[in-house]
Amino acid sequence: MIAGDLAVEVERLLSERRPFVLATVVRARHPTSVRPGDAAIVLGDGAIKGFVGGVCAEASVRLHSLRALETGDALLLRLVPDVGEDRVGSSDALEGAVVEHNPCLSGGALEIFLEPHLPPSRIIVVGNSPIAVAIETLARASGYDCVRVAAGAGASLEGAAAVVVASHGTSEEKVLGQALSAGVPYVALVASRTRGAAVRRTLDVAPELAGQLITPAGLDLGARTPAEIAISILAQLVAGQHAGPAPGRPATGTVCRDRAASAASAVEVVTDPVCGMKVAVAASTPRLEVGGALVHFCSEHCRRAYAAQHAEAHVVR
């Protein structure tokens, strides 16, 4: 269980809606400097706070933590010291674990549980109608961070995953235009097909943005009551989120995105030229500028070794 400064940092990140990964050592085989229960936080820029092993272990933790932030899925990372030990299929291999053969480890194997913490998706509901109230109630019960505002009151759209307007014709066009222009992934208007089409034509945005407005809002389930309409809207939102990036991650485009495109990792991975480790290209990754190009490393040790061989290398902080 995390405690002390690390626990305080976790609470701060949660309150600020900042995504992070909690990395916890669950098994450590000697010789190693860590113990089960040791933990660290990995931020979206790759920075690591806490201790889950030496710098070489941190490089693998950084890489797979950034991938976990993309997918939203927890994973067990198994670090073994060389390719000759603990191959998949051996009696000590773990089904479902991600195995990295780390040439820098001092001899002991590590198993580290990586648990991504992503802020709940924020839904902004505009209006005081029974449908707006039902959407807010159901969204909160479903774990969303839901904010409901009166029509014309205005609301910050920063970090919003959805804007649903259910104000029955009051101050609709302005907030819809703002949400579409801000790139909110799901923008919907509760209205009939006829009135929805008329509102779309009056929006002061580019035609391609106006085309992203979803109206009538929700899946066509035959919903009639405010609660049923709220269910249809949240069902449509959930379907769109699972077709795109992990909850809490930036998303673009309409509610229906291509699954194959969204499955591709955006984390750039390169090979440390000294030890051969795979490392993530992140703001906190050690690097050198050599001949006008950046070279990335697993640790300061590898960076110094490479710099010693290249007099023209320039340290980049």
Side-chain angles (χ1 to χ4, degrees), residues 10-63:
V10 166
E11 289 300 319
R12 185 182 69 83
L13 292 171
L14 291 173
S15 66
E16 295 178 358
R17 292 177 50 84
R18 293 181 58 189
F20 66 93
V21 169
L22 180 61
T24 306
V25 177
V26 296
R27 185 182 178 215
R29 191 171 63 195
H30 296 294
T32 182
S33 57
V34 296
R35 299 176 300 172
D38 286 343
I41 293 169
V42 185
L43 302 178
D45 62 357
I48 298 177
K49 301 181 179 181
F51 183 68
V52 286
V55 290
C56 292
E58 283 189 351
S60 295
V61 169
R62 176 183 293 111
L63 169 60

mmCIF file of all heavy atoms in Angstrom, residues 10-63:
data_model
loop_
_atom_site.group_PDB
_atom_site.id
_atom_site.type_symbol
_atom_site.label_atom_id
_atom_site.label_comp_id
_atom_site.label_asym_id
_atom_site.label_seq_id
_atom_site.Cartn_x
_atom_site.Cartn_y
_atom_site.Cartn_z
ATOM 1 N N VAL A 10 -0.495 10.966 -5.375
ATOM 2 C CA VAL A 10 -1.617 10.298 -6.027
ATOM 3 C C VAL A 10 -2.901 11.089 -5.832
ATOM 4 O O VAL A 10 -3.672 11.308 -6.778
ATOM 5 C CB VAL A 10 -1.778 8.858 -5.494
ATOM 6 C CG1 VAL A 10 -3.135 8.281 -5.903
ATOM 7 C CG2 VAL A 10 -0.662 7.963 -6.014
ATOM 8 N N GLU A 11 -3.156 11.537 -4.620
ATOM 9 C CA GLU A 11 -4.363 12.320 -4.354
ATOM 10 C C GLU A 11 -4.370 13.615 -5.150
ATOM 11 O O GLU A 11 -5.410 14.048 -5.653
ATOM 12 C CB GLU A 11 -4.463 12.622 -2.852
ATOM 13 C CG GLU A 11 -4.790 11.406 -1.994
ATOM 14 C CD GLU A 11 -6.112 10.776 -2.383
ATOM 15 O OE1 GLU A 11 -7.072 11.532 -2.651
ATOM 16 O OE2 GLU A 11 -6.180 9.538 -2.437
ATOM 17 N N ARG A 12 -3.206 14.234 -5.270
ATOM 18 C CA ARG A 12 -3.120 15.489 -6.040
ATOM 19 C C ARG A 12 -3.423 15.245 -7.512
ATOM 20 O O ARG A 12 -4.175 16.006 -8.143
ATOM 21 C CB ARG A 12 -1.724 16.101 -5.888
ATOM 22 C CG ARG A 12 -1.583 17.472 -6.568
ATOM 23 C CD ARG A 12 -0.171 18.018 -6.420
ATOM 24 N NE ARG A 12 0.779 17.243 -7.192
ATOM 25 C CZ ARG A 12 1.007 17.431 -8.493
ATOM 26 N NH1 ARG A 12 0.322 18.357 -9.161
ATOM 27 N NH2 ARG A 12 1.901 16.703 -9.125
ATOM 28 N N LEU A 13 -2.852 14.189 -8.073
ATOM 29 C CA LEU A 13 -3.076 13.884 -9.487
ATOM 30 C C LEU A 13 -4.541 13.561 -9.747
ATOM 31 O O LEU A 13 -5.101 13.973 -10.769
ATOM 32 C CB LEU A 13 -2.192 12.712 -9.905
ATOM 33 C CG LEU A 13 -0.682 12.988 -9.929
ATOM 34 C CD1 LEU A 13 0.091 11.699 -10.147
ATOM 35 C CD2 LEU A 13 -0.329 14.006 -11.008
ATOM 36 N N LEU A 14 -5.159 12.823 -8.839
ATOM 37 C CA LEU A 14 -6.572 12.496 -9.006
ATOM 38 C C LEU A 14 -7.434 13.752 -8.960
ATOM 39 O O LEU A 14 -8.358 13.910 -9.766
ATOM 40 C CB LEU A 14 -7.016 11.513 -7.918
ATOM 41 C CG LEU A 14 -6.443 10.092 -8.003
ATOM 42 C CD1 LEU A 14 -6.834 9.289 -6.770
ATOM 43 C CD2 LEU A 14 -6.919 9.390 -9.269
ATOM 44 N N SER A 15 -7.123 14.656 -8.044
ATOM 45 C CA SER A 15 -7.915 15.881 -7.919
ATOM 46 C C SER A 15 -7.737 16.789 -9.121
ATOM 47 O O SER A 15 -8.649 17.530 -9.488
ATOM 48 C CB SER A 15 -7.537 16.625 -6.630
ATOM 49 O OG SER A 15 -6.198 17.106 -6.690
ATOM 50 N N GLU A 16 -6.555 16.729 -9.747
ATOM 51 C CA GLU A 16 -6.282 17.559 -10.919
ATOM 52 C C GLU A 16 -6.658 16.876 -12.230
ATOM 53 O O GLU A 16 -6.432 17.423 -13.297
ATOM 54 C CB GLU A 16 -4.789 17.937 -10.951
ATOM 55 C CG GLU A 16 -4.362 18.826 -9.793
ATOM 56 C CD GLU A 16 -2.878 19.142 -9.824
ATOM 57 O OE1 GLU A 16 -2.164 18.627 -10.732
ATOM 58 O OE2 GLU A 16 -2.412 19.897 -8.952
ATOM 59 N N ARG A 17 -7.210 15.674 -12.136
ATOM 60 C CA ARG A 17 -7.622 14.915 -13.330
ATOM 61 C C ARG A 17 -6.438 14.672 -14.272
ATOM 62 O O ARG A 17 -6.594 14.716 -15.485
ATOM 63 C CB ARG A 17 -8.758 15.632 -14.069
ATOM 64 C CG ARG A 17 -10.070 15.667 -13.310
ATOM 65 C CD ARG A 17 -11.129 16.442 -14.064
ATOM 66 N NE ARG A 17 -11.265 16.030 -15.447
ATOM 67 C CZ ARG A 17 -11.999 14.993 -15.857
ATOM 68 N NH1 ARG A 17 -12.651 14.268 -14.989
ATOM 69 N NH2 ARG A 17 -12.055 14.681 -17.144
ATOM 70 N N ARG A 18 -5.282 14.367 -13.713
ATOM 71 C CA ARG A 18 -4.103 14.074 -14.524
ATOM 72 C C ARG A 18 -3.896 12.571 -14.601
ATOM 73 O O ARG A 18 -3.865 11.888 -13.579
ATOM 74 C CB ARG A 18 -2.859 14.738 -13.941
ATOM 75 C CG ARG A 18 -2.878 16.254 -14.012
ATOM 76 C CD ARG A 18 -1.605 16.832 -13.429
ATOM 77 N NE ARG A 18 -0.427 16.351 -14.111
ATOM 78 C CZ ARG A 18 0.831 16.562 -13.702
ATOM 79 N NH1 ARG A 18 1.041 17.241 -12.582
ATOM 80 N NH2 ARG A 18 1.851 16.096 -14.389
ATOM 81 N N PRO A 19 -3.753 12.011 -15.797
ATOM 82 C CA PRO A 19 -3.550 10.562 -15.930
ATOM 83 C C PRO A 19 -2.164 10.146 -15.434
ATOM 84 O O PRO A 19 -1.185 10.881 -15.582
ATOM 85 C CB PRO A 19 -3.697 10.315 -17.430
ATOM 86 C CG PRO A 19 -3.360 11.625 -18.070
ATOM 87 C CD PRO A 19 -3.822 12.693 -17.112
ATOM 88 N N PHE A 20 -2.097 8.970 -14.836
ATOM 89 C CA PHE A 20 -0.819 8.436 -14.373
ATOM 90 C C PHE A 20 -0.935 6.925 -14.247
ATOM 91 O O PHE A 20 -2.037 6.357 -14.287
ATOM 92 C CB PHE A 20 -0.414 9.045 -13.028
ATOM 93 C CG PHE A 20 -1.314 8.674 -11.874
ATOM 94 C CD1 PHE A 20 -1.026 7.587 -11.052
ATOM 95 C CD2 PHE A 20 -2.462 9.412 -11.611
ATOM 96 C CE1 PHE A 20 -1.861 7.250 -10.003
ATOM 97 C CE2 PHE A 20 -3.307 9.070 -10.554
ATOM 98 C CZ PHE A 20 -3.004 7.982 -9.746
ATOM 99 N N VAL A 21 0.212 6.280 -14.110
ATOM 100 C CA VAL A 21 0.269 4.836 -13.874
ATOM 101 C C VAL A 21 0.893 4.597 -12.510
ATOM 102 O O VAL A 21 1.930 5.186 -12.185
ATOM 103 C CB VAL A 21 1.092 4.123 -14.965
ATOM 104 C CG1 VAL A 21 1.374 2.672 -14.570
ATOM 105 C CG2 VAL A 21 0.363 4.165 -16.299
ATOM 106 N N LEU A 22 0.264 3.754 -11.713
ATOM 107 C CA LEU A 22 0.846 3.329 -10.448
ATOM 108 C C LEU A 22 1.566 2.008 -10.693
ATOM 109 O O LEU A 22 0.933 1.003 -11.052
ATOM 110 C CB LEU A 22 -0.233 3.166 -9.385
ATOM 111 C CG LEU A 22 0.252 2.711 -8.004
ATOM 112 C CD1 LEU A 22 1.232 3.731 -7.426
ATOM 113 C CD2 LEU A 22 -0.919 2.500 -7.059
ATOM 114 N N ALA A 23 2.884 2.019 -10.537
ATOM 115 C CA ALA A 23 3.713 0.831 -10.749
ATOM 116 C C ALA A 23 4.095 0.257 -9.394
ATOM 117 O O ALA A 23 4.699 0.950 -8.577
ATOM 118 C CB ALA A 23 4.963 1.197 -11.550
ATOM 119 N N THR A 24 3.739 -1.007 -9.164
ATOM 120 C CA THR A 24 3.994 -1.639 -7.870
ATOM 121 C C THR A 24 4.759 -2.944 -8.069
ATOM 122 O O THR A 24 4.340 -3.803 -8.864
ATOM 123 C CB THR A 24 2.677 -1.947 -7.133
ATOM 124 O OG1 THR A 24 1.897 -0.750 -7.030
ATOM 125 C CG2 THR A 24 2.949 -2.486 -5.740
ATOM 126 N N VAL A 25 5.867 -3.091 -7.361
ATOM 127 C CA VAL A 25 6.644 -4.329 -7.418
ATOM 128 C C VAL A 25 5.872 -5.417 -6.675
ATOM 129 O O VAL A 25 5.533 -5.267 -5.499
ATOM 130 C CB VAL A 25 8.036 -4.139 -6.775
ATOM 131 C CG1 VAL A 25 8.810 -5.467 -6.779
ATOM 132 C CG2 VAL A 25 8.820 -3.063 -7.511
ATOM 133 N N VAL A 26 5.567 -6.511 -7.365
ATOM 134 C CA VAL A 26 4.833 -7.606 -6.735
ATOM 135 C C VAL A 26 5.727 -8.824 -6.490
ATOM 136 O O VAL A 26 5.375 -9.717 -5.714
ATOM 137 C CB VAL A 26 3.601 -8.017 -7.573
ATOM 138 C CG1 VAL A 26 2.608 -6.874 -7.638
ATOM 139 C CG2 VAL A 26 4.013 -8.425 -8.983
ATOM 140 N N ARG A 27 6.869 -8.868 -7.158
ATOM 141 C CA ARG A 27 7.801 -9.967 -6.945
ATOM 142 C C ARG A 27 9.195 -9.499 -7.320
ATOM 143 O O ARG A 27 9.382 -8.831 -8.341
ATOM 144 C CB ARG A 27 7.410 -11.175 -7.791
ATOM 145 C CG ARG A 27 8.268 -12.424 -7.545
ATOM 146 C CD ARG A 27 7.836 -13.551 -8.461
ATOM 147 N NE ARG A 27 8.662 -14.731 -8.273
ATOM 148 C CZ ARG A 27 9.003 -15.565 -9.241
ATOM 149 N NH1 ARG A 27 8.584 -15.334 -10.477
ATOM 150 N NH2 ARG A 27 9.735 -16.622 -8.998
ATOM 151 N N ALA A 28 10.161 -9.837 -6.496
ATOM 152 C CA ALA A 28 11.550 -9.474 -6.762
ATOM 153 C C ALA A 28 12.441 -10.642 -6.380
ATOM 154 O O ALA A 28 12.396 -11.124 -5.251
ATOM 155 C CB ALA A 28 11.941 -8.222 -5.965
ATOM 156 N N ARG A 29 13.246 -11.104 -7.333
ATOM 157 C CA ARG A 29 14.139 -12.224 -7.074
ATOM 158 C C ARG A 29 15.563 -11.707 -6.935
ATOM 159 O O ARG A 29 16.043 -10.945 -7.779
ATOM 160 C CB ARG A 29 14.058 -13.249 -8.199
ATOM 161 C CG ARG A 29 14.757 -14.570 -7.862
ATOM 162 C CD ARG A 29 14.472 -15.617 -8.911
ATOM 163 N NE ARG A 29 14.997 -15.240 -10.212
ATOM 164 C CZ ARG A 29 14.661 -15.824 -11.357
ATOM 165 N NH1 ARG A 29 13.741 -16.777 -11.340
ATOM 166 N NH2 ARG A 29 15.188 -15.451 -12.493
ATOM 167 N N HIS A 30 16.245 -12.095 -5.888
ATOM 168 C CA HIS A 30 17.597 -11.617 -5.614
ATOM 169 C C HIS A 30 18.573 -12.094 -6.692
ATOM 170 O O HIS A 30 18.377 -13.142 -7.309
ATOM 171 C CB HIS A 30 18.050 -12.112 -4.239
ATOM 172 C CG HIS A 30 17.215 -11.553 -3.117
ATOM 173 N ND1 HIS A 30 17.212 -10.224 -2.796
ATOM 174 C CD2 HIS A 30 16.344 -12.158 -2.272
ATOM 175 C CE1 HIS A 30 16.388 -10.027 -1.774
ATOM 176 N NE2 HIS A 30 15.837 -11.186 -1.442
ATOM 177 N N PRO A 31 19.658 -11.332 -6.954
ATOM 178 C CA PRO A 31 19.962 -10.046 -6.291
ATOM 179 C C PRO A 31 19.217 -8.885 -6.947
ATOM 180 O O PRO A 31 19.236 -8.743 -8.156
ATOM 181 C CB PRO A 31 21.470 -9.897 -6.503
ATOM 182 C CG PRO A 31 21.720 -10.616 -7.793
ATOM 183 C CD PRO A 31 20.749 -11.761 -7.845
ATOM 184 N N THR A 32 18.553 -8.094 -6.152
ATOM 185 C CA THR A 32 17.880 -6.902 -6.641
ATOM 186 C C THR A 32 17.721 -5.931 -5.483
ATOM 187 O O THR A 32 17.706 -6.337 -4.316
ATOM 188 C CB THR A 32 16.499 -7.242 -7.243
ATOM 189 O OG1 THR A 32 15.897 -6.056 -7.737
ATOM 190 C CG2 THR A 32 15.586 -7.857 -6.198
ATOM 191 N N SER A 33 17.615 -4.662 -5.794
ATOM 192 C CA SER A 33 17.579 -3.631 -4.760
ATOM 193 C C SER A 33 16.168 -3.264 -4.341
ATOM 194 O O SER A 33 15.982 -2.412 -3.479
ATOM 195 C CB SER A 33 18.305 -2.367 -5.248
ATOM 196 O OG SER A 33 17.727 -1.908 -6.463
ATOM 197 N N VAL A 34 15.156 -3.868 -4.945
ATOM 198 C CA VAL A 34 13.772 -3.526 -4.611
ATOM 199 C C VAL A 34 13.107 -4.673 -3.871
ATOM 200 O O VAL A 34 13.581 -5.818 -3.900
ATOM 201 C CB VAL A 34 12.954 -3.164 -5.867
ATOM 202 C CG1 VAL A 34 13.507 -1.927 -6.520
ATOM 203 C CG2 VAL A 34 12.930 -4.330 -6.835
ATOM 204 N N ARG A 35 11.992 -4.344 -3.226
ATOM 205 C CA ARG A 35 11.223 -5.333 -2.497
ATOM 206 C C ARG A 35 9.766 -5.273 -2.936
ATOM 207 O O ARG A 35 9.292 -4.231 -3.392
ATOM 208 C CB ARG A 35 11.303 -5.073 -0.994
ATOM 209 C CG ARG A 35 12.700 -5.146 -0.402
ATOM 210 C CD ARG A 35 12.662 -4.773 1.061
ATOM 211 N NE ARG A 35 12.151 -3.409 1.246
ATOM 212 C CZ ARG A 35 11.866 -2.872 2.434
ATOM 213 N NH1 ARG A 35 12.014 -3.594 3.534
ATOM 214 N NH2 ARG A 35 11.425 -1.639 2.518
ATOM 215 N N PRO A 36 9.037 -6.375 -2.797
ATOM 216 C CA PRO A 36 7.601 -6.327 -3.092
ATOM 217 C C PRO A 36 6.928 -5.230 -2.270
ATOM 218 O O PRO A 36 7.192 -5.072 -1.081
ATOM 219 C CB PRO A 36 7.126 -7.726 -2.672
ATOM 220 C CG PRO A 36 8.318 -8.603 -2.847
ATOM 221 C CD PRO A 36 9.489 -7.742 -2.444
ATOM 222 N N GLY A 37 6.100 -4.468 -2.932
ATOM 223 C CA GLY A 37 5.437 -3.341 -2.284
ATOM 224 C C GLY A 37 6.035 -2.004 -2.638
ATOM 225 O O GLY A 37 5.380 -0.970 -2.476
ATOM 226 N N ASP A 38 7.295 -1.994 -3.101
ATOM 227 C CA ASP A 38 7.874 -0.737 -3.573
ATOM 228 C C ASP A 38 7.051 -0.220 -4.750
ATOM 229 O O ASP A 38 6.566 -1.007 -5.578
ATOM 230 C CB ASP A 38 9.327 -0.923 -4.003
ATOM 231 C CG ASP A 38 10.270 -1.089 -2.816
ATOM 232 O OD1 ASP A 38 9.858 -0.741 -1.692
ATOM 233 O OD2 ASP A 38 11.396 -1.566 -3.011
ATOM 234 N N ALA A 39 6.902 1.094 -4.842
ATOM 235 C CA ALA A 39 5.991 1.642 -5.847
ATOM 236 C C ALA A 39 6.517 2.946 -6.417
ATOM 237 O O ALA A 39 7.397 3.601 -5.842
ATOM 238 C CB ALA A 39 4.604 1.855 -5.248
ATOM 239 N N ALA A 40 5.980 3.309 -7.572
ATOM 240 C CA ALA A 40 6.319 4.570 -8.223
ATOM 241 C C ALA A 40 5.125 5.027 -9.042
ATOM 242 O O ALA A 40 4.225 4.240 -9.371
ATOM 243 C CB ALA A 40 7.550 4.422 -9.110
ATOM 244 N N ILE A 41 5.135 6.307 -9.366
ATOM 245 C CA ILE A 41 4.123 6.900 -10.240
ATOM 246 C C ILE A 41 4.794 7.266 -11.554
ATOM 247 O O ILE A 41 5.874 7.851 -11.565
ATOM 248 C CB ILE A 41 3.516 8.157 -9.603
ATOM 249 C CG1 ILE A 41 2.711 7.794 -8.356
ATOM 250 C CG2 ILE A 41 2.623 8.904 -10.602
ATOM 251 C CD1 ILE A 41 2.298 8.998 -7.540
ATOM 252 N N VAL A 42 4.160 6.916 -12.666
ATOM 253 C CA VAL A 42 4.660 7.278 -13.990
ATOM 254 C C VAL A 42 3.666 8.256 -14.615
ATOM 255 O O VAL A 42 2.480 7.942 -14.766
ATOM 256 C CB VAL A 42 4.835 6.049 -14.896
ATOM 257 C CG1 VAL A 42 5.484 6.455 -16.215
ATOM 258 C CG2 VAL A 42 5.669 4.976 -14.199
ATOM 259 N N LEU A 43 4.155 9.443 -14.963
ATOM 260 C CA LEU A 43 3.292 10.485 -15.528
ATOM 261 C C LEU A 43 3.235 10.379 -17.045
ATOM 262 O O LEU A 43 3.988 9.623 -17.662
ATOM 263 C CB LEU A 43 3.813 11.862 -15.106
ATOM 264 C CG LEU A 43 3.917 12.094 -13.594
ATOM 265 C CD1 LEU A 43 4.487 13.483 -13.312
ATOM 266 C CD2 LEU A 43 2.563 11.924 -12.918
ATOM 267 N N GLY A 44 2.375 11.174 -17.636
ATOM 268 C CA GLY A 44 2.182 11.123 -19.081
ATOM 269 C C GLY A 44 3.390 11.536 -19.891
ATOM 270 O O GLY A 44 3.490 11.184 -21.076
ATOM 271 N N ASP A 45 4.325 12.292 -19.285
ATOM 272 C CA ASP A 45 5.536 12.680 -20.000
ATOM 273 C C ASP A 45 6.680 11.694 -19.763
ATOM 274 O O ASP A 45 7.803 11.936 -20.191
ATOM 275 C CB ASP A 45 5.977 14.093 -19.604
ATOM 276 C CG ASP A 45 6.334 14.211 -18.120
ATOM 277 O OD1 ASP A 45 6.194 13.205 -17.386
ATOM 278 O OD2 ASP A 45 6.744 15.310 -17.698
ATOM 279 N N GLY A 46 6.376 10.591 -19.054
ATOM 280 C CA GLY A 46 7.385 9.576 -18.789
ATOM 281 C C GLY A 46 8.146 9.772 -17.493
ATOM 282 O O GLY A 46 8.944 8.916 -17.124
ATOM 283 N N ALA A 47 7.927 10.882 -16.791
ATOM 284 C CA ALA A 47 8.615 11.123 -15.526
ATOM 285 C C ALA A 47 8.179 10.077 -14.503
ATOM 286 O O ALA A 47 7.007 9.695 -14.442
ATOM 287 C CB ALA A 47 8.314 12.524 -15.013
ATOM 288 N N ILE A 48 9.140 9.616 -13.692
ATOM 289 C CA ILE A 48 8.889 8.585 -12.696
ATOM 290 C C ILE A 48 9.193 9.143 -11.315
ATOM 291 O O ILE A 48 10.272 9.674 -11.068
ATOM 292 C CB ILE A 48 9.729 7.331 -12.960
ATOM 293 C CG1 ILE A 48 9.363 6.722 -14.327
ATOM 294 C CG2 ILE A 48 9.539 6.296 -11.853
ATOM 295 C CD1 ILE A 48 10.186 5.513 -14.706
ATOM 296 N N LYS A 49 8.224 9.007 -10.415
ATOM 297 C CA LYS A 49 8.392 9.432 -9.026
ATOM 298 C C LYS A 49 8.207 8.216 -8.134
ATOM 299 O O LYS A 49 7.157 7.574 -8.160
ATOM 300 C CB LYS A 49 7.364 10.513 -8.670
ATOM 301 C CG LYS A 49 7.462 11.763 -9.539
ATOM 302 C CD LYS A 49 6.432 12.798 -9.126
ATOM 303 C CE LYS A 49 6.550 14.054 -9.985
ATOM 304 N NZ LYS A 49 5.569 15.107 -9.577
ATOM 305 N N GLY A 50 9.216 7.893 -7.339
ATOM 306 C CA GLY A 50 9.188 6.699 -6.527
ATOM 307 C C GLY A 50 10.308 5.767 -6.945
ATOM 308 O O GLY A 50 11.237 6.158 -7.670
ATOM 309 N N PHE A 51 10.230 4.502 -6.525
ATOM 310 C CA PHE A 51 11.324 3.566 -6.800
ATOM 311 C C PHE A 51 10.766 2.176 -7.084
ATOM 312 O O PHE A 51 10.080 1.586 -6.254
ATOM 313 C CB PHE A 51 12.277 3.505 -5.605
ATOM 314 C CG PHE A 51 13.471 2.619 -5.834
ATOM 315 C CD1 PHE A 51 14.446 2.966 -6.752
ATOM 316 C CD2 PHE A 51 13.607 1.434 -5.129
ATOM 317 C CE1 PHE A 51 15.546 2.143 -6.967
ATOM 318 C CE2 PHE A 51 14.704 0.614 -5.334
ATOM 319 C CZ PHE A 51 15.681 0.971 -6.260
ATOM 320 N N VAL A 52 11.057 1.670 -8.277
ATOM 321 C CA VAL A 52 10.685 0.304 -8.649
ATOM 322 C C VAL A 52 11.873 -0.424 -9.271
ATOM 323 O O VAL A 52 11.701 -1.367 -10.036
ATOM 324 C CB VAL A 52 9.485 0.285 -9.625
ATOM 325 C CG1 VAL A 52 8.195 0.622 -8.914
ATOM 326 C CG2 VAL A 52 9.720 1.227 -10.794
ATOM 327 N N GLY A 53 13.076 0.015 -8.959
ATOM 328 C CA GLY A 53 14.267 -0.603 -9.522
ATOM 329 C C GLY A 53 15.218 0.449 -10.044
ATOM 330 O O GLY A 53 14.940 1.649 -10.001
ATOM 331 N N GLY A 54 16.358 -0.013 -10.545
ATOM 332 C CA GLY A 54 17.366 0.897 -11.072
ATOM 333 C C GLY A 54 16.940 1.550 -12.365
ATOM 334 O O GLY A 54 15.829 1.353 -12.863
ATOM 335 N N VAL A 55 17.851 2.330 -12.940
ATOM 336 C CA VAL A 55 17.520 3.123 -14.124
ATOM 337 C C VAL A 55 17.140 2.248 -15.308
ATOM 338 O O VAL A 55 16.311 2.647 -16.140
ATOM 339 C CB VAL A 55 18.693 4.053 -14.489
ATOM 340 C CG1 VAL A 55 18.854 5.147 -13.466
ATOM 341 C CG2 VAL A 55 19.999 3.268 -14.625
ATOM 342 N N CYS A 56 17.735 1.062 -15.410
ATOM 343 C CA CYS A 56 17.402 0.189 -16.538
ATOM 344 C C CYS A 56 15.986 -0.373 -16.390
ATOM 345 O O CYS A 56 15.246 -0.481 -17.366
ATOM 346 C CB CYS A 56 18.419 -0.937 -16.655
ATOM 347 S SG CYS A 56 20.068 -0.360 -17.156
ATOM 348 N N ALA A 57 15.631 -0.738 -15.158
ATOM 349 C CA ALA A 57 14.257 -1.184 -14.927
ATOM 350 C C ALA A 57 13.284 -0.050 -15.197
ATOM 351 O O ALA A 57 12.206 -0.260 -15.760
ATOM 352 C CB ALA A 57 14.107 -1.686 -13.496
ATOM 353 N N GLU A 58 13.662 1.162 -14.815
ATOM 354 C CA GLU A 58 12.798 2.323 -15.040
ATOM 355 C C GLU A 58 12.515 2.534 -16.523
ATOM 356 O O GLU A 58 11.417 2.947 -16.894
ATOM 357 C CB GLU A 58 13.435 3.578 -14.454
ATOM 358 C CG GLU A 58 13.323 3.699 -12.951
ATOM 359 C CD GLU A 58 13.770 5.058 -12.460
ATOM 360 O OE1 GLU A 58 14.323 5.828 -13.283
ATOM 361 O OE2 GLU A 58 13.558 5.356 -11.267
ATOM 362 N N ALA A 59 13.506 2.258 -17.370
ATOM 363 C CA ALA A 59 13.299 2.457 -18.807
ATOM 364 C C ALA A 59 12.176 1.564 -19.322
ATOM 365 O O ALA A 59 11.334 2.002 -20.120
ATOM 366 C CB ALA A 59 14.599 2.175 -19.558
ATOM 367 N N SER A 60 12.147 0.297 -18.885
ATOM 368 C CA SER A 60 11.085 -0.610 -19.313
ATOM 369 C C SER A 60 9.751 -0.230 -18.684
ATOM 370 O O SER A 60 8.704 -0.317 -19.331
ATOM 371 C CB SER A 60 11.454 -2.052 -18.943
ATOM 372 O OG SER A 60 12.592 -2.485 -19.668
ATOM 373 N N VAL A 61 9.786 0.199 -17.413
ATOM 374 C CA VAL A 61 8.559 0.633 -16.742
ATOM 375 C C VAL A 61 7.979 1.852 -17.444
ATOM 376 O O VAL A 61 6.763 1.954 -17.658
ATOM 377 C CB VAL A 61 8.835 0.934 -15.257
ATOM 378 C CG1 VAL A 61 7.642 1.637 -14.618
ATOM 379 C CG2 VAL A 61 9.152 -0.353 -14.502
ATOM 380 N N ARG A 62 8.843 2.787 -17.845
ATOM 381 C CA ARG A 62 8.379 3.987 -18.552
ATOM 382 C C ARG A 62 7.701 3.610 -19.861
ATOM 383 O O ARG A 62 6.592 4.079 -20.184
ATOM 384 C CB ARG A 62 9.557 4.926 -18.821
ATOM 385 C CG ARG A 62 9.173 6.164 -19.645
ATOM 386 C CD ARG A 62 10.379 7.033 -19.940
ATOM 387 N NE ARG A 62 10.912 7.627 -18.720
ATOM 388 C CZ ARG A 62 12.087 7.310 -18.177
ATOM 389 N NH1 ARG A 62 12.852 6.389 -18.742
ATOM 390 N NH2 ARG A 62 12.487 7.897 -17.073
ATOM 391 N N LEU A 63 8.352 2.748 -20.652
ATOM 392 C CA LEU A 63 7.820 2.364 -21.952
ATOM 393 C C LEU A 63 6.442 1.726 -21.825
ATOM 394 O O LEU A 63 5.485 2.143 -22.492
ATOM 395 C CB LEU A 63 8.790 1.399 -22.641
ATOM 396 C CG LEU A 63 8.289 0.692 -23.909
ATOM 397 C CD1 LEU A 63 7.914 1.707 -24.975
ATOM 398 C CD2 LEU A 63 9.341 -0.275 -24.432
#
